[in-house]
Amino acid sequence: DKGNFEHFMLKEIYEQPISIEDTFRGRIAMDHSKIFLGGISDVMPQLSQARRIIIAACGTSWHAGIVGEYLFEEFARIPVEVEYASEFRYRNPIINEDDVIIAISQSGETADTLAAIKMAKEHGATIIGICNVAGSSIPRETHAGVYTHAGVEIGVASTKAFTSQVTVLTMMALLLGKTKGHLKDSVYKELINELTQVPDKIRAILKAETDIKQIADTYKDANNALYLGRGFLFPVALEGALKLKEISYIHAEGYPAAEMKHGPIALIDENMPVFVLATKDKSYEKIVSNIQEVKARNGKVIAIVTEGDEVIKKMADHVIEVPDCHEAIAPLLTCVPLQFISYHIAVMRGCNVDQPRNLAKSVTVE
Ligand code: F6R
């Protein structure tokens, strides 16, 4: 049931404050001092001693995996590789018994992801699932796992499942960082606190829908779009681009912002909208330079910035503000305006938002 919403995708975008709360329900202590992940407690020894973590997934779940890579390396200091399940399984990968494989899948049915974990299991690795659909095939093959509890996602373009996957990965990385002694108790608690503020911060972003819709209107006829981000926001750039292509059929590419000068910059002219993830973090100065590079070539810049940013406001064609947060939390906030952009552009172009052509919600073919 879509309730008062025109499409499931829009409903699911709006559900995110609740779906994220559902993801951490019962997993974060009331006083924000601790994280409990019952589903992986049995494999905590393997996880905290893992020589490396391999994340296997497809599509949007793969993007969540890259956020996971940055989180695990930052907080838990465990090397991570993020693999397209389809490439991983077919290339005779090196898998050891002290590797932990994390499969991320909304549906829990993606054929390549399922086959990848079956193979890794045969090599003796520990397999953990981060899935949304309870009782689906992937959770049945894993040794342990954490359900995302985002609720049923009907729109083919994944929105709330993505933010719940990132929420689980953040909780896992913090818990591991604490267990391994890399995170000071004060930092651990501060980050848990930040995480619990995400639903309210997303509520604030949802209020900007009308303004974001106007930006969508300005760029709805574009033939191409670029999405740029650095650090934790690089995977958000990939996800923003995927969301636009799959539902509006506009060609879009996501790049680490610094890679722009190695090729994509040649594409920039006055017809190219460039979405830049530019919240205040340690690469802020660098991203400001990237925006200048785009403007110097007459590209149109739509920047996602931290509330109150005055510097980028002067340079960009449009800014969309998100509440201030720790840089590790920023993917959860900055992806939301990009979901709105794709949704509104697709609706304005008359596309079937919930059932885009050629796509299926669950990809059970290899
Ligand atoms: C994009 C999208 C797909 C899925 C991919 C993996 O919006 O929905 O890219 O993310 O097919 O699906 P799951 O997560 O079910 O394994």
Side-chain angles (χ1 to χ4, degrees):
D1 177 21
K2 293 194 281 247
N4 295 326
F5 293 96
E6 206 179 326
H7 298 98
F8 282 107
M9 182 183 175
L10 188 62
K11 173 173 176 263
E12 288 158 3
I13 292 173
Y14 270 91
E15 274 171 355
Q16 291 174 107
I18 305 285
S19 50
I20 292 171
E21 263 158 23
D22 288 341
T23 305
F24 44 65
R25 171 151 313 120
R27 293 166 170 170
I28 291 181
M30 292 285 269
D31 62 359
H32 300 172
S33 63
K34 270 197 200 87
I35 291 169
F36 315 97
L37 293 173
I40 54 167
S41 53
D42 287 352
V43 296
M44 271 313 271
Q46 288 93 318
L47 243 184
S48 52
Q49 278 145 46
R51 197 158 56 149
R52 64 175 177 166
I53 293 173
I54 299 170
I55 298 179
C58 305
T60 288
S61 299
W62 185 83
H63 297 154
I66 303 180
V67 180
E69 171 182 24
Y70 284 56
L71 290 164
F72 285 124
E73 294 202 348
E74 173 78 18
F75 298 127
R77 309 301 297 150
I78 301 173
V80 179
E81 282 167 41
V82 189
E83 300 274 3
Y84 286 116
S86 57
E87 285 299 309
F88 180 67
R89 60 178 285 213
Y90 287 119
R91 73 152 196 269
N92 192 16
I94 299 157
I95 304 169
N96 303 302
E97 287 182 6
D98 51 6
D99 288 332
V100 171
I101 317 294
I102 302 180
I104 308 177
S105 175
Q106 186 287 129
S107 63
E109 298 296 346
T110 300
D112 282 319
T113 311
L114 179 60
I117 59 171
K118 284 186 177 162
M119 182 190 68
K121 208 158 117 181
E122 280 166 18
H123 286 78
T126 301
I127 319 292
I128 295 176
I130 299 179
C131 296
N132 196 43
V133 178
S136 54
S137 303
I138 292 172
R140 281 189 272 126
E141 283 294 329
T142 55
H143 297 112
V146 181
Y147 279 116
T148 41
H149 294 314
V152 178
E153 189 180 65
I154 292 172
V156 164
S158 188
T159 52
K160 65 173 182 172
F162 173 76
T163 45
S164 285
Q165 289 165 344
V166 173
T167 301
V168 167
L169 289 161
T170 310
M171 289 192 290
M172 280 178 74
L174 294 178
L175 178 61
L176 260 178
K178 182 69 172 63
T179 309
K180 290 182 62 108
H182 295 299
L183 267 185
K184 278 200 301 193
D185 199 50
S186 57
V187 180
Y188 177 62
K189 287 180 179 160
E190 184 203 313
L191 283 158
I192 295 175
N193 209 31
E194 283 261 357
L195 195 55
T196 62
Q197 290 166 14
V198 166
D200 276 343
K201 290 181 179 178
I202 292 182
R203 284 185 185 97
I205 298 168
L206 296 174
K207 293 204 176 100
E209 186 191 352
T210 319
D211 296 337
I212 299 172
K213 191 172 167 183
Q214 292 229 289
I215 300 173
D217 191 51
T218 310
Y219 298 105
K220 63 178 186 303
D221 298 318
N223 294 318
N224 298 284
L226 269 183
Y227 287 74
L228 304 176
R230 305 177 81 111
F232 287 105
L233 299 181
F234 156 53
V236 179
L238 296 179
E239 175 58 10
L242 177 62
K243 232 55 330 161
L244 189 70
K245 32 191 163 187
E246 67 181 331
I247 59 171
S248 74
Y249 318 140
I250 295 175
H251 170 238
E253 307 245 21
Y255 271 99
E259 274 295 300
M260 185 177 66
K261 58 181 165 301
H262 299 287
I265 198 163
L267 294 167
I268 295 175
D269 63 14
E270 66 283 2
N271 298 315
M272 178 68 94
V274 183
F275 295 88
V276 187
L277 295 144
T279 48
K280 293 252 164 75
D281 60 22
K282 55 178 169 301
S283 40
Y284 179 76
E285 298 303 329
K286 301 271 180 203
I287 207 95
V288 168
S289 320
N290 297 136
I291 292 175
Q292 281 161 339
E293 288 156 13
V294 175
K295 285 314 300 172
R297 286 155 187 88
N298 297 319
K300 300 287 187 281
V301 171
I302 306 96
I304 317 298
V305 301
T306 301
E307 223 159 50
D309 187 311
E310 291 299 330
V311 176
I312 295 177
K313 198 177 272 172
K314 292 196 189 91
M315 300 162 37
D317 296 270
H318 310 268
V319 295
I320 302 170
E321 294 191 329
V322 299
D324 191 22
C325 68
H326 187 282
E327 63 175 7
I329 302 291
L332 288 168
L333 303 186
T334 52
C335 68
V336 177
L338 299 183
Q339 295 169 347
F340 271 144
I341 290 280
S342 306
Y343 171 78
H344 283 294
I345 289 183
V347 171
M348 288 167 190
R349 289 167 71 102
C351 300
N352 186 342
V353 176
D354 284 335
Q355 285 287 315
R357 67 188 183 200
N358 312 337
L359 289 173
K361 186 66 188 158
S362 169
V363 183
T364 52
V365 291
E366 307 191 8

